[in-house]
Amino acid sequence: MARVEIGGRRQGQEVWARWIDGSVQGDREFLSLAGLDPGTRFEDPHAFVELIQGLLDEGSANVALDIPPKPA
């Protein structure tokens, strides 16, 4: 099972998002900022990390990855 877990702050509030084998989970309001809903399919875990990190307050992201390395 491949997974990504991201937590951090957005405008001072704690938020989280998770990607498990292509399925997105997390705070509904936060995910909606990224144009996603819980259960949405998102195939590229590396792009998911970049998308979510871009929505978090700078320096607040905590990321746990258990995915294959990004292709060169």
Side-chain angles (χ1 to χ4, degrees):
M1 177 184 307
R3 73 185 302 135
V4 173
E5 295 195 33
I6 302 174
R9 288 183 305 282
R10 170 134 176 111
Q11 299 176 341
Q13 286 192 333
E14 293 293 322
V15 294
W16 66 277
R18 182 179 300 141
W19 178 97
I20 300 174
D21 288 335
S23 181
V24 173
Q25 300 173 356
D27 292 326
R28 184 176 297 277
E29 286 183 35
F30 178 59
L31 289 175
S32 71
L33 295 172
L36 303 170
D37 288 313
T40 299
R41 294 293 303 166
F42 198 101
E43 296 304 323
D44 184 346
H46 302 284
F48 178 74
V49 170
E50 290 176 19
L51 174 66
I52 298 301
Q53 281 185 317
L55 296 173
L56 295 173
D57 295 347
E58 189 171 329
S60 74
N62 293 306
V63 181
L65 301 172
D66 185 11
I67 55 177
K70 187 174 185 175

